[in-house]
Amino acid sequence: MKFTLQATNWNKVRANSLAFFTREDKGILQDYAKMYGGGSLTSSVSALIESGDMKGKTDELFTLYPTKSETSASRVFLVGIGKPEKLTLEVVRRAAARAAKKAEAMKSKTLAMYLPQVNGCSGAEIAFACVEGIMLGLYKFDKFFKKEEVSTPLETVTFMEGDHGMYGSTSAEVKAAIAEAETICNATIFAREMENEPSNNKFPETMAAWAKTLAKGSKVKVTVFGPKELKAHKMEGTLNVNKGSVKEARFIIMEYRGAKNAKAQPVVLVGKGITFDTGGISIKPAAGMGDMKSDMSGAAAVIATMKAASDLKLNVNVIGLVASAENMPSGSAMRPGDIITYANGLSVEVDNTDAEGRLVLADALIWADRYKPKSVIDLATLTGACVVALGHTTTGMMGTDTAMMQQLSRSGNATYERVCELPIYDEYDELIKSDVADIKNAGGRWAGAISAAMFLKRFTTYPWVHLDIAGTARSEAATDYIPKGGTGVAVRLLTHMLKEESKA
Ligand code: BES
Ligand code: MN
Ligand code: ZN
């Protein structure tokens, strides 16, 4: 996919399809006259709008078939973007995605569009949102289909400057925004690819190989621990969770030192990398278990964000840590009732082998201490309870780093990968009390997302934020730019946050 910015208009541009964003507004026709000039196309547009068939609502997309004398495009899409007062960058992401998907469905190789105007937003920001909608909307996990069943891809999208200009941005600024959005979307897509990969092709060693591949030729330094190093560093959580697997566990360290001062305190990102979660001996029910192939979405977000941070040359130090294991039941598997003693001396009763995410994360949280981090953010598909609480649209956030949580809230709103804070009051510590060890790994029926966070908190020695992405890492039904399956959630969120950090 290629994006170009051209100082041209719809009647001159060379493209298979043209998309016009259409507001739900009384002034819609005047809008057209002003924006798109005269010509016979205007009259077909007028006819459509005057017919009352199109109102400009966000679920509308109409196709017109212009004559050769009007434009080189064989199709014109009128894409509804709703009421002007409700027009946000998120509406733009969604509309751009719908336009691109429609163009691709009609086998267009090239699509041209004007950027819609969004109050208070620059052309650079609007172009950024269009690129997000288009790239993320067109993503498909189709590599396992027979070749002929794969659709013809859209190859080029042209943003036309038209006569209205770029809403206060220069061409150079718009081009830079496009390039940046492409980098971040490619990272998000890579996270989706990792999430969607089936678990017969995806093991802890695969996660490590992906981290290395991604870092190749970049400033990111990757170190991988296998069983020997895991034992030497007493990474007992990861080792124990992996005991039932025929594959080996891995601990992955990714270092990107982009700050002017390479010794400046880093932000540490920690990812849960369970390449398949059967539940272990506390085995999960069969229905929907296949979704547990993406129980490494936290790890995917971390690995992909490291790549984005380095590609964007962000002026920050970031460390990525991934604890990766496969949670399988077998004769050698960890059992309920087992007691694990961690490198920091804390002992944990394994109450439920299906609460494995917190067990592997604990190793990474202990390890993170050595970086004297400014903040540690862990990402994990940690609890079904979080999905019950917040559904699939919002990530659960808990932690001790108030400033970072505020930044993540702002970044969440900006990227629309929104987070909502849940409390971690001391009283919840009761939930993870054990009769035989310092704590236990499952907190019972109530406040399951919080008891998981209370567990993690015991391993932190620095400002910390926990993001439970159990609900947001997979989508059950496709929306405009989030297809069904792995969403690549948190790559855009974290990269936005790191960008803000790099300005500070
Ligand atoms: N990976 C699951 C959580 C999950 C559930 C992710 C649904 C995505 C969708 C996690 O390892 C798990 O099994 N958690 C248990 C914890 C319980 C045993 C304390 C859960 O939520 O049921
Ligand atoms: Mn589990
Ligand atoms: Zn899990």
Side-chain angles (χ1 to χ4, degrees):
M1 168 70 69
K2 216 179 100 225
F3 293 93
T4 66
L5 177 63
Q6 283 181 31
T8 185
N9 265 308
W10 64 266
N11 45 358
K12 295 195 201 79
V13 74
R14 310 260 334 148
N16 301 134
S17 291
L18 274 172
F20 291 151
F21 296 108
T22 311
R23 303 193 290 173
E24 184 182 349
D25 193 0
K26 278 205 220 61
I28 186 167
L29 279 177
Q30 289 88 312
D31 242 30
Y32 268 93
K34 205 166 82 206
M35 220 167 140
Y36 307 134
S40 50
L41 186 60
T42 319
S43 64
S44 0
V45 171
S46 308
L48 172 63
I49 293 162
E50 272 163 11
S51 73
D53 291 356
M54 178 162 199
K55 305 209 162 47
K57 290 186 191 296
T58 50
D59 59 353
E60 291 176 339
L61 198 162
F62 282 80
T63 308
L64 298 178
Y65 296 86
T67 62
K68 283 276 167 295
S69 64
E70 289 166 334
T71 163
S72 75
S74 47
R75 292 171 183 87
V76 169
F77 306 128
L78 297 191
V79 186
I81 50 173
K83 295 203 161 69
E85 65 273 19
K86 285 188 143 183
L87 185 48
T88 60
L89 291 176
E90 175 64 5
V91 174
V92 172
R93 284 183 199 104
R94 287 167 166 265
R98 282 183 291 128
K101 288 201 280 189
K102 184 73 176 176
E104 193 166 274
M106 299 206 157
K107 302 201 185 328
S108 293
K109 285 201 169 2
T110 52
L111 168 69
M113 59 176 65
Y114 292 105
L115 298 178
Q117 183 165 18
V118 181
N119 275 337
C121 295
S122 69
E125 289 170 310
I126 300 164
F128 192 107
C130 283
V131 172
E132 289 181 303
I134 293 164
M135 287 185 69
L136 300 177
L138 288 179
Y139 169 77
K140 284 182 271 328
F141 182 66
D142 58 8
K143 69 176 186 177
F144 284 96
F145 290 121
K146 269 205 227 134
K147 281 285 167 291
E148 58 265 35
E149 281 162 24
V150 175
S151 65
T152 26
L154 182 65
E155 285 168 4
T156 309
V157 174
T158 300
F159 299 120
M160 298 176 287
E161 281 190 43
D163 304 323
H164 54 281
M166 287 282 129
Y167 314 116
S169 294
T170 64
S171 306
E173 283 164 349
V174 173
K175 282 182 184 157
I178 292 171
E180 188 179 315
E182 283 186 271
T183 299
I184 297 171
C185 290
N186 279 326
T188 303
I189 287 167
F190 190 73
R192 287 180 181 177
E193 288 282 288
M194 292 190 272
E195 289 166 344
N196 289 332
E197 190 67 37
S199 294
N200 55 333
N201 289 337
K202 176 168 67 185
F203 304 99
E205 64 203 42
T206 323
M207 299 302 302
W210 282 334
K212 282 186 172 162
T213 313
L214 217 59
K216 211 170 208 150
S218 81
K219 255 191 78 176
V220 181
K221 194 181 126 209
V222 182
T223 310
V224 177
F225 291 171
K228 211 178 100 210
E229 294 87 356
L230 283 158
K231 274 178 208 136
H233 295 297
K234 298 193 173 62
M235 295 184 155
E236 289 297 324
T238 311
L239 285 166
N240 272 278
V241 168
N242 199 65
K243 266 174 30 183
S245 174
V246 297
K247 299 287 182 173
E248 291 176 353
R250 292 287 186 271
F251 187 78
I252 307 161
I253 303 168
M254 304 180 82
E255 296 183 61
Y256 167 72
R257 301 216 174 246
K260 284 182 196 79
N261 174 6
K263 294 218 170 84
Q265 283 187 291
V267 172
V268 177
L269 305 176
V270 170
K272 168 178 172 181
I274 299 297
T275 59
F276 195 75
D277 182 12
T278 63
I281 296 298
S282 315
I283 199 161
K284 287 182 180 296
M289 202 204 275
D291 289 352
M292 288 300 125
K293 70 174 183 173
S294 54
D295 208 20
M296 33 54 72
S297 296
V302 170
I303 294 171
T305 301
M306 295 303 296
K307 168 77 173 158
S310 106
D311 283 351
L312 297 174
K313 301 190 170 60
L314 296 185
N315 172 28
V316 275
N317 294 335
V318 195
I319 310 287
L321 303 177
V322 167
S324 188
E326 188 184 41
N327 191 19
M328 300 293 271
S330 88
S332 60
M334 170 178 78
R335 320 151 198 62
D338 286 1
I339 298 175
I340 301 173
T341 302
Y342 278 88
N344 68 351
L346 211 64
S347 65
V348 172
E349 175 195 358
V350 179
D351 186 41
N352 189 320
T353 65
D354 196 12
E356 84 297 340
R358 63 200 78 179
L359 294 178
V360 306
L361 287 170
D363 289 330
L365 293 173
I366 295 169
W367 187 261
D369 177 70
R370 71 184 52 220
Y371 300 101
K372 301 289 159 253
K374 183 174 176 223
S375 185
V376 175
I377 303 165
D378 77 74
L379 297 104
T381 46
L382 206 60
T383 66
C386 189
V387 194
V388 172
L390 300 173
H392 292 278
T393 46
T394 313
T395 291
M397 176 168 73
M398 288 141 271
T400 54
D401 188 345
T402 319
M404 180 55 85
M405 288 195 283
Q406 283 167 355
Q407 178 55 55
L408 288 167
S409 291
R410 288 193 294 276
S411 294
N413 293 336
T415 56
Y416 230 62
E417 293 194 326
R418 291 163 299 175
V419 298
C420 179
E421 189 183 356
L422 301 173
I424 48 164
Y425 303 131
D426 290 342
E427 283 81 349
Y428 291 109
D429 259 332
E430 287 296 319
L431 297 171
I432 54 167
K433 273 201 173 145
S434 164
D435 298 330
V436 291
D438 295 324
I439 48 174
K440 61 179 177 182
N441 77 329
R445 184 160 159 71
W446 310 118
I450 296 171
S451 58
M454 297 314 288
F455 180 96
L456 297 176
K457 183 167 180 276
R458 299 293 285 266
F459 296 88
T460 63
T461 48
Y462 35 67
W464 156 77
V465 181
H466 161 57
L467 296 175
D468 193 331
I469 57 171
T472 46
R474 282 192 76 79
S475 107
E476 287 187 329
T479 57
D480 294 323
Y481 66 91
I482 305 178
K484 193 175 169 194
T487 61
V489 76
V491 176
R492 294 191 301 122
L493 170 74
L494 292 172
T495 308
H496 188 281
M497 173 278 292
L498 291 174
K499 245 169 70 187
E500 294 300 306
E501 289 287 312
S502 78
K503 288 178 200 161

